[in-house]
Amino acid sequence: MEVTKKTYQLPALRFGYKDLEPFMSEEQLTLHHTKHHAAYATGANAALDKLEKARKEGTDADQKAIAKELSFNVGGFILHNRFWENLAPVGKGGDSPGGKLGDAIAHEFGSFERFKKEFTQVASSAEGSGWAVLTYCRTIERPMIMQVEKHNVNAMPGFKPLLVLDVWEHAYYVDYRNLRPKYIEAFWNHVDWGTAQKRFDDILNR
Ligand code: MN
């Protein structure tokens, strides 16, 4: 009997499509989640299908091209999962992190304000499409900020994202047009630090 293999499925959001307004309009969030995020799941599954088909037929697939498609689409899919988990409606997010994550950020950056400034600079300066990602290196026990290009370039292997910000134009263009700095500024009022703190605690306890 053939065993069914799992595929990527678009997860539901933890909030309604209107709940992030005015930071993110219903139109912007709906488009981003149901079209862009969904496309990465579809793209990753299509690449996996190509591999399956070639294996069944005993033919050769274009391994190089498929490996590229996979890293791009899987990276996009996972980063968007993290992104939605990082966001909270007005009044339920913002402020600054507490707990061990708050301590680690203060220790590394000197202050939360300094971290916020550096993360904002990383997000603002991403050329074209990319992400700002707060992550943590377990080897030297220090938080770091990654600037991921597209969804998969400049990523540090094995580092778990704690806080991510999507700065692809599709993330903000409906609401902010070319004003990416305004989108980044508004983002800080919607960060769900509880989720980031929990992810950090999980990393420390692994
Ligand atoms: Mn996106």
Side-chain angles (χ1 to χ4, degrees):
M1 200 180 95
E2 196 177 345
V3 179
T4 310
K5 294 178 180 173
K6 288 185 186 176
T7 57
Y8 292 102
Q9 307 297 328
L10 185 69
L13 298 178
R14 299 180 304 154
F15 36 75
Y17 286 110
K18 289 182 182 173
D19 291 350
L20 299 184
E21 292 185 337
F23 161 57
M24 219 178 261
S25 67
E26 180 182 17
E27 184 188 0
Q28 175 75 79
L29 180 54
T30 305
L31 197 66
H32 198 171
H33 180 242
T34 67
K35 302 294 179 191
H36 292 279
H37 189 181
Y40 300 123
T42 307
N45 293 335
L48 292 171
D49 277 350
K50 283 182 198 169
L51 294 171
E52 278 297 293
K53 189 166 177 283
R55 286 168 195 159
K56 276 185 188 146
E57 292 171 351
T59 55
D60 289 335
D62 186 346
Q63 294 292 342
K64 182 181 164 101
I66 295 172
K68 252 187 168 171
E69 277 172 46
L70 260 185
S71 76
F72 176 80
N73 285 290
V74 173
F77 180 76
I78 300 292
L79 281 166
H80 282 90
N81 288 351
R82 297 289 91 82
F83 185 44
W84 307 131
E85 290 165 12
N86 272 150
L87 298 177
V90 172
K92 294 182 179 169
D95 206 11
S96 58
K100 288 177 181 166
L101 179 59
D103 293 345
I105 286 175
H107 189 251
E108 177 64 29
F109 297 92
S111 67
F112 174 69
E113 287 309 313
R114 177 72 197 189
F115 156 72
K116 197 171 157 182
K117 186 179 168 190
E118 290 188 22
F119 190 93
T120 297
Q121 287 168 335
V122 167
S124 307
S125 63
E127 290 164 351
S129 307
W131 297 77
V133 180
L134 171 65
T135 187
Y136 182 75
C137 177
R138 291 183 74 204
T139 307
I140 59 170
E141 299 175 339
R142 292 175 65 174
M144 293 180 196
I145 303 171
M146 292 194 266
Q147 185 184 65
V148 178
E149 292 172 21
K150 297 182 185 174
H151 299 310
N152 52 340
V153 183
N154 273 0
M156 299 177 199
F159 286 20
K160 301 271 186 210
L162 300 169
L163 175 74
V164 305
L165 174 57
D166 188 344
V167 290
W168 280 56
E169 283 186 345
H170 72 224
Y172 60 85
Y173 219 79
V174 171
D175 293 334
Y176 301 87
R177 298 295 166 191
N178 58 323
L179 302 178
R180 190 195 288 180
K182 287 207 174 302
Y183 159 72
I184 297 170
E185 197 186 325
F187 161 74
W188 293 110
N189 297 322
H190 288 269
V191 175
D192 184 341
W193 283 111
T195 306
Q197 284 174 224
K198 187 180 177 307
R199 273 191 216 139
F200 186 58
D201 292 342
D202 289 347
I203 289 173
L204 296 181
N205 294 331
R206 247 189 2 228

